[in-house]
């Protein structure tokens, strides 16, 4: 079973998410946590609502 980290998120908190595609393309999404729904399946949240988000492409890793 892979190790996972536990994070605490609260409405109003800034969040940064880096996305990397299998082809090496990368993007950074920065926004504000708008809502954190109730947890399901042992405390895991499947959906976060982010507002005031902006995304930008990042250069590929070398």
């Amino acid at each position: 079973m892979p190790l996972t980290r536990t994070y605490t998120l609260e409405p109003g908190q800034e969040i940064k998410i880096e996305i990397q595609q299998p082809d090496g393309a990368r993007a950074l999404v920065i926004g504000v946590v708008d809502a954190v729904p109730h947890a399901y399946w042992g405390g895991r949240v499947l959906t976060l609502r982010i507002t005031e988000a902006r995304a930008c492409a990042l250069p590929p890793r070398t």
Side-chain angles (χ1 to χ4, degrees):
M1 185 161 146
L3 297 175
T4 58
R5 293 183 182 177
T6 301
Y7 298 94
T8 302
L9 297 171
E10 297 181 7
Q13 178 180 349
E14 182 179 76
I15 186 169
K16 296 179 183 181
I17 302 168
E18 184 175 327
I19 301 165
Q20 182 166 349
Q21 297 291 337
D23 66 0
R26 296 170 47 219
L28 180 64
V29 178
I30 301 170
V32 176
V33 176
D34 182 58
V36 180
H38 296 291
Y40 300 98
W41 294 315
R44 294 193 176 116
V45 171
L46 302 178
T47 304
L48 287 176
R49 189 168 63 211
I50 308 297
T51 59
E52 301 178 29
R54 58 193 185 277
C56 62
L58 297 174
R61 293 184 194 244
T62 55

